[in-house]
Structure formats: structure tokens, C-alpha cells
């Protein structure tokens, strides 16, 4: 179940007028490998804050991960939103956090923007809407209301693309976040190819090359033979976003051509935010029993391992409409 309403999501620099947000230069970032604890000795007696990823041994959690202990008044759907609320509140007024060590255990857009918000709170709050939009794309595969978020996520992903590991990604990307957000429109060298792919994917839906329809809570997407999978943000946009009632996507890929396709490849997954078990703005979507679903669909169907993936099949004679019917019947029996 979602936590009780713990406040709004939009933040702006005007919310901290008159407060000291100069703590940025006194905070520092330390990468903690996934699964490792925060070692107090390495922090030289300073307070510790984990953002996005959960790290044991810290003084404060600012995370939307499952089993987080983020204070209720700071909680939001995205870790970047949580970090911005902190920056606008006690992060600006409580001296305990003035020289805190900020830690995270993985790299992604929501993670690096959360770190940035604590290291550079004034600048982050000035660009809050853009940062939140970028995190919506990076963590939830959404098409944000502020489409600059698509470009920001693409730019940061591009900067991290040559990094050999998450630790190096922070070293490569974090110093560039501020220059990128301040001059995003002119950085087509970073976001141009990804932006073109999104526009091409949108066009393929409008041209009916990729066929979409909704069956109850399932968004069905039938790709052309050897077609490119529709990107997550485009899926979110064409089916109406997080509040549309669409809870899952069935992606169908024909394995042969002709008027009657004989074999199909399928992916069945939840919408992008569904992996978060506590939300404020978006609906909480319970996880299905993957094993039972795969078993009931029979030979060829296997459990998929991604955060939002449910099951998949590499070759099936069933047509998309038949698969949707079976999935609906299975869902009804599991309720």
C-alpha cells in the first residue's frame, strides 16, 4: 500500500528564499558499491546521507527504494524529488547536514540527479522541474510533461556510456550535470540521436506501422517484422501515462512475414513506475506472480528478470489476441 499523503511534488527555488543553501560546497559525494555498508570511519565523523540506493549505516535515507526509511514529510515518488524537498527544507536550515557525506550505490539518472541536488541545492532548485522530468524518464520510462526531461536523460546517459562501472560514471557525469542543464538546448551532440529515435518511434505509431490497442489494463503493442521495440517513454505517452489505468504492456514481435504470422515473440511487463512499492502521485500496482503466470501459459513462457518485466516467450503460435485473452483469464484467477 502507498504511504499517506506526504506533500506535493513540485519544488522551486522560491520555496527557500532567505535560507542558507550554501551547504553545497561543504558536502561531498562518496560512492559505495552495491551491497556494501557505509563505513563511518571513511566519513571522518561527518553526517551521512544515502540518496536513491539504500546504503546501510547512514544517518539519513532519501530514497524511494523498497523498505526505505525516508522521513514521511520528505517522501515522493522519485528520489530526485525527495532530494529536492530535503534541499528546500532541513537541508538548508539544519546544520547537521551542512557538511554531510552523500552516498549512493549505483548509477542512473535518478541517482545522479539526487546526488546533484544535495551537492548543488541552489542550482538544483532553480531547475527543479527539469531535474524531476529527467528522473521520470530515467527511472520510470515516462514521457514527462516537460519534454526537456527526455533530452536531459539522454544527455546524461550519453555522458555515462563510456564509463566502465558505476563509480566511474559518477566521476564522468557529476561534474557535467550543471553545465548540461544550464545549456541543454544547445547540447544536441549529447541528446540528438536518442531524441531522433523517440520521434521516429512516435511516427511509427501514427503511421500504424506499430499497432497499438488497449484491452482493459493491458496495452497491446504489435511491432512490424524485424521492427525496433517501442521505447518506454513512447509506450507511456501513447497509452496515456501513469494515470491512464494501463498497468501492463504486451509487446508482440512477429517472427515471420505474410498475411498470417505463424510464430510470435512476446514480452509482458509492468508500466515503468510499477516497481516502486510506495507512491504519492502515481497508483501503486501490485506485482503479479511471475512463476504462476509462466506456468499457466505453458511451454516456452519463462520468468523475465527485469524490474518491471514479468514473463516472456521467444516463440509461440498464439496470436496476440489469444495471448491477451489468456493473460486476462489468468489475472482474474489470481485475484
Amino acid at each position: 500500500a502507498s504511504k499517506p499523503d506526504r506533500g506535493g511534488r513540485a519544488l522551486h527555488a522560491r520555496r527557500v528564499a532567505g535560507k542558507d543553501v550554501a551547504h553545497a560546497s561543504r558536502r561531498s559525494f562518496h560512492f559505495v558499491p552495491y551491497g556494501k555498508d557505509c563505513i563511518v570511519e571513511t566519513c571522518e565523523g561527518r553526517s551521512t546521507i544515502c540518496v536513491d540506493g539504500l546504503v546501510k549505516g547512514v544517518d539519513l535515507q532519501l530514497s524511494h527504494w523498497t523498505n526505505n526509511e525516508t522521513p514521511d514529510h520528505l517522501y515522493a515518488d522519485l528520489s530526485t524529488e525527495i532530494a529536492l524537498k530535503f534541499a528546500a527544507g532541513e537541508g538548508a536550515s539544519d546544520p547537521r547536514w551542512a557538511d554531510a557525506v552523500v552516498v549512493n550505490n549505483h548509477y542512473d539518472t535518478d541517482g545522479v540527479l539526487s546526488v546533484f541536488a544535495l551537492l548543488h541545492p541552489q542550482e538544483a532548485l532553480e531547475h527543479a522541474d527539469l531535474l524531476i522530468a529527467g528522473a521520470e524518464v530515467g527511472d520510470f520510462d515516462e514521457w514527462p510533461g516537460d519534454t526537456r526531461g527526455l533530452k536531459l536523460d539522454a544527455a546524461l546517459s550519453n555522458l555515462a556510456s563510456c564509463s566502465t562501472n558505476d563509480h566511474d560514471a559518477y566521476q564522468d557525469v557529476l561534474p557535467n550535470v550543471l553545465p548540461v542543464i544550464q545549456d541543454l538546448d544547445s547540447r544536441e551532440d549529447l541528446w540528438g540521436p536518442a531524441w531522433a529515435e523517440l520521434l521516429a518511434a512516435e511516427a511509427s505509431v501514427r503511421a500504424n506501422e506499430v499497432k497499438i490497442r488497449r484491452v482493459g489494463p493491458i496495452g497491446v503493442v504489435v511491432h512490424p517484422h524485424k521492427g525496433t521495440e517501442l521505447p518506454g517513454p513512447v509506450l507511456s505517452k501513447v497509452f496515456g501515462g501513469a494515470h491512464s489505468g494501463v498497468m501492463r504492456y504486451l509487446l508482440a514481435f512477429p517472427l515471420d512475414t505474410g498475411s498470417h504470422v505463424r510464430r510470435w515473440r512476446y514480452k509482458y511487463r509492468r508500466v515503468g513506475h510499477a516497481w516502486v512499492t510506495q507512491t504519492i502521485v502515481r497508483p501503486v500496482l501490485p506485482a503479479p506472480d511471475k512463476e504462476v503466470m509462466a506456468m499457466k501459459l505453458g511451454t516456452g513462457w519463462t520468468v523475465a528478470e527485469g524490474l518491471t518485466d514479468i514473463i516472456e516467450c521467444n516463440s509461440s503460435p498464439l496470436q496476440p489476441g489469444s495471448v491477451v485473452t489468456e493473460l486476462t483469464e489468468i489475472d482474474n484467477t489470481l485475484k
Side-chain angles (χ1 to χ4, degrees), residues 272-313:
H273 78 274
W275 65 272
V276 178
T277 58
Q278 303 164 341
T279 56
I280 299 298
V281 176
R282 296 162 182 82
V284 173
L285 303 176
D289 191 321
K290 298 181 179 184
E291 289 77 10
V292 171
M293 296 194 85
M295 179 187 67
K296 286 184 175 292
L297 277 170
T299 304
W301 288 88
T302 59
V303 169
E305 298 300 329
L307 271 178
T308 57
D309 295 331
I310 304 174
I311 53 177
E312 59 192 5
C313 182

Side-chain angles (χ1 to χ4, degrees), residues 195-278:
W195 179 249
E197 289 178 7
L198 290 170
L199 296 181
E202 269 197 294
S204 71
V205 175
R206 290 195 299 269
N208 205 34
E209 296 167 2
V210 176
K211 298 176 173 58
I212 66 167
R213 65 189 178 103
R214 177 174 172 176
V215 181
I218 302 175
V220 183
V221 183
V222 179
H223 297 78
H225 181 57
K226 295 185 178 180
T228 302
E229 181 177 323
L230 215 60
V234 177
L235 283 172
S236 176
K237 182 178 184 180
V238 299
F239 284 112
H243 298 280
S244 67
V246 171
M247 300 168 59
R248 300 172 188 170
Y249 303 128
L250 176 67
L251 309 183
F253 306 86
L255 296 179
D256 48 37
T257 58
S259 58
H260 181 72
V261 177
R262 292 168 296 178
R263 307 293 299 185
W264 295 83
R265 179 169 63 90
Y266 291 105
K267 296 181 180 180
Y268 191 46
R269 64 172 61 135
R270 297 193 287 166
V271 297
H273 78 274
W275 65 272
V276 178
T277 58
Q278 303 164 341

Side-chain angles (χ1 to χ4, degrees), residues 8 104 203 324 326:
N104 197 358
V324 172
E326 291 206 24

Side-chain angles (χ1 to χ4, degrees), residues 36-312:
K36 300 294 184 180
D37 295 352
C38 182
I39 307 300
V40 176
E41 290 77 8
T42 64
C43 299
E44 301 175 341
R46 296 156 64 188
S47 297
T48 52
I49 307 171
C50 73
V51 294
D52 201 24
L54 292 180
V55 179
K56 293 181 180 180
V58 298
D59 298 306
L60 178 65
Q61 294 180 4
L62 299 177
S63 170
H64 65 164
W65 280 24
T66 301
N67 298 323
N68 70 79
E69 296 179 0
T70 301
D72 283 358
H73 68 284
L74 294 175
Y75 194 80
D77 290 3
L78 289 152
S79 292
T80 295
E81 293 178 279
I82 296 170
L84 288 165
K85 291 177 77 171
F86 174 81
E90 51 259 64
S93 61
D94 191 332
R96 288 182 301 167
W97 313 116
D99 64 347
V101 177
V102 181
V103 303
N104 197 358
N105 59 10
H106 70 289
Y107 177 87
D108 60 17
T109 297
D110 194 27
V112 73
L113 293 179
S114 298
V115 172
F116 175 79
L118 265 64
L119 299 188
H120 302 279
Q122 183 66 59
E123 293 85 351
L125 289 165
E126 290 171 356
H127 298 277
D129 290 341
L130 173 58
L131 267 61
I132 292 170
E136 288 174 337
V137 180
D139 239 31
F140 292 165
D141 257 353
E142 293 179 350
W143 190 286
D146 184 345
T147 56
R148 294 178 304 157
L150 295 159
K151 296 179 179 179
L152 177 58
D153 176 65
L156 299 182
S157 298
N158 194 332
L159 287 169
S161 62
C162 293
S163 305
T164 56
N165 53 53
D166 284 8
H167 173 273
D168 291 350
Y170 274 100
Q171 291 189 321
D172 295 338
V173 178
L174 195 52
N176 290 296
V177 173
L178 183 57
V180 167
I181 64 177
Q182 289 177 328
D183 199 25
L184 182 62
D185 288 342
S186 69
R187 294 310 308 268
E188 191 171 354
D189 59 309
L190 293 176
W191 51 257
W195 179 249
E197 289 178 7
L198 290 170
L199 296 181
E202 269 197 294
S204 71
V205 175
R206 290 195 299 269
N208 205 34
E209 296 167 2
V210 176
K211 298 176 173 58
I212 66 167
R213 65 189 178 103
R214 177 174 172 176
V215 181
I218 302 175
V220 183
V221 183
V222 179
H223 297 78
H225 181 57
K226 295 185 178 180
T228 302
E229 181 177 323
L230 215 60
V234 177
L235 283 172
S236 176
K237 182 178 184 180
V238 299
F239 284 112
H243 298 280
S244 67
V246 171
M247 300 168 59
R248 300 172 188 170
Y249 303 128
L250 176 67
L251 309 183
F253 306 86
L255 296 179
D256 48 37
T257 58
S259 58
H260 181 72
V261 177
R262 292 168 296 178
R263 307 293 299 185
W264 295 83
R265 179 169 63 90
Y266 291 105
K267 296 181 180 180
Y268 191 46
R269 64 172 61 135
R270 297 193 287 166
V271 297
H273 78 274
W275 65 272
V276 178
T277 58
Q278 303 164 341
T279 56
I280 299 298
V281 176
R282 296 162 182 82
V284 173
L285 303 176
D289 191 321
K290 298 181 179 184
E291 289 77 10
V292 171
M293 296 194 85
M295 179 187 67
K296 286 184 175 292
L297 277 170
T299 304
W301 288 88
T302 59
V303 169
E305 298 300 329
L307 271 178
T308 57
D309 295 331
I310 304 174
I311 53 177
E312 59 192 5

